[in-house]
Amino acid sequence: MPELPEVEVVKRGFEKALADRSGAVLITRFEFLRKDLRDVIPVKKFEKLQGSQLLKIARRAKYLIFTTNLGEFISHLGMTGSWRRQSSIGDQRPHDHIRIHFLVDGISESWVYHDPRRFGIFDFLDGKTQAQRLGHLGPEPLLEQFTGEYLWQSLRQRSSAIKTAIMDQKVVVGVGNIYASEALFQAGIRPSLRAQKITQIQAQKLVAAIKKTLLQAIEAGGSTISDFKSTENQSGYFQAQHQVYGRAGEECRVCGSRIKVAVTAGRSTFWCLRCQR
Ligand SMILES: [Zn+2]
């Protein structure tokens, strides 16, 4: 499943190709090869955006937000979604669902949304969808407002495991299973520790570890887990650097102990008994 780093990599891919140009970027046409993903796509409304100017591409949690002079729309990659720049006219694949045609500095360019399982979202961002989808989200992990003090305060009333707590979107957005396991390892905190029991120092270490883990993954182009492909069609290689995730039974790279795994609620948690006390 694409997690925050993968979505950030996609956003940067779009920016590099579109937003960082000197001239205007126009959306000339939306082409819907299918009219539904997780929900029905409001095709008629999208048609009204044809001819609009793309002003900005942003990311909030795992949503890509496209701002045009006529309105905002969002893309969420769901379980298996990806965007790619269409390299040639004949480049069409099964499970391609949406094509956006742009005019960039007077040159045509197309981007294709591909999603075999169709859990993605492609919708407008208006008052209603904003409240529904983005209204209850916690801070962005990479922004300054996500501090050790903030995390410590927001966990004081929580009796759940620390790993569950940092994966809660109300606490902080975009820390999925892989990055939660990796950050807890880096911070030396056992995943099953009750959230309310972490000390202020541990909270600081954990926040630093979350930021570092996510930034490393973004640098590496996202993980290769699932069907993720960045917009440049290159798989990320963060997976090769995982310290604990997916390494059950293998030796800890720090102390040599065997990495443990436990499965709760369908999610695997990986940790080192000796490094994470
Ligand atoms: Zn270890």
Side-chain angles (χ1 to χ4, degrees), residues 17-272:
L18 300 174
D20 296 349
R21 302 293 184 88
S22 52
V25 177
L26 296 176
I27 297 175
T28 50
R29 193 158 62 97
F30 289 97
E31 200 181 329
F32 295 99
L33 308 168
R34 263 197 90 106
K35 292 180 173 62
D36 61 317
L37 294 170
R38 185 190 307 187
D39 304 315
V40 175
I41 299 169
V43 171
K44 286 263 177 283
K45 271 177 88 178
F46 272 104
E47 283 169 359
K48 288 183 185 156
L49 276 195
Q50 293 178 164
S52 68
Q53 188 178 344
L54 183 68
L55 302 174
K56 200 175 99 186
I57 300 160
R59 180 190 56 72
R60 174 74 173 115
K62 296 204 289 183
Y63 289 91
L64 291 164
I65 304 173
F66 298 80
T67 305
T68 78
N69 61 327
L70 299 179
E72 286 186 305
F73 61 97
I74 51 173
S75 165
H76 189 288
L77 306 178
M79 305 278 290
T80 54
S82 63
W83 282 98
R84 72 174 193 277
R85 197 174 182 174
Q86 192 170 29
S87 46
S88 68
I89 297 202
D91 172 26
Q92 192 170 329
R93 305 173 194 177
H95 309 297
D96 283 353
H97 303 309
I98 302 166
R99 202 172 289 142
I100 311 180
H101 299 273
F102 295 97
L103 198 62
V104 188
D105 290 347
I107 297 164
S108 303
E109 173 159 341
S110 306
W111 286 69
V112 183
Y113 180 72
H114 177 90
D115 191 352
R117 295 188 63 185
R118 287 191 290 115
F119 280 108
I121 295 169
F122 196 70
D123 200 357
F124 274 81
L125 191 62
D126 48 28
K128 189 176 143 228
T129 47
Q130 182 138 19
Q132 195 181 10
R133 291 179 170 140
L134 310 178
H136 310 291
L137 295 175
E140 284 289 326
L142 298 175
L143 294 185
E144 274 177 21
Q145 68 202 101
F146 182 57
T147 62
E149 176 63 23
Y150 161 82
L151 183 65
W152 184 72
Q153 288 288 353
S154 54
L155 297 183
R156 285 177 71 183
Q157 307 296 327
R158 290 189 180 245
S159 55
S160 66
I162 182 71
K163 177 165 172 264
T164 312
I166 58 172
M167 288 176 65
D168 183 339
Q169 302 285 299
K170 288 182 205 122
V171 173
V172 58
V173 299
V175 182
N177 200 31
I178 301 171
Y179 303 105
S181 286
E182 291 296 307
L184 285 163
F185 174 81
Q186 251 186 54
I189 299 168
R190 188 162 298 183
S192 57
L193 181 74
R194 272 177 181 230
Q196 63 198 169
K197 288 202 167 162
I198 70 163
T199 64
Q200 277 173 292
I201 289 170
Q202 281 178 316
Q204 266 167 18
K205 278 190 184 166
L206 184 52
V207 164
I210 288 170
K211 288 176 194 274
K212 194 175 156 197
T213 310
L214 292 172
L215 284 170
Q216 274 176 346
I218 292 166
E219 286 293 300
S223 287
T224 53
I225 302 288
S226 186
D227 297 321
F228 172 73
K229 285 279 194 304
S230 76
T231 48
E232 303 284 333
N233 286 325
Q234 288 168 334
S235 290
Y237 50 87
F238 181 67
Q239 197 176 3
Q241 300 166 12
H242 289 168
Q243 299 293 322
V244 287
Y245 189 86
R247 299 191 65 238
E250 291 176 41
E251 284 182 6
C252 170
R253 294 192 172 122
V254 174
C255 74
S257 305
R258 301 272 167 210
I259 300 296
K260 296 268 177 197
V261 64
V263 181
T264 34
R267 277 197 178 114
S268 301
T269 297
F270 300 87
W271 78 103
C272 171

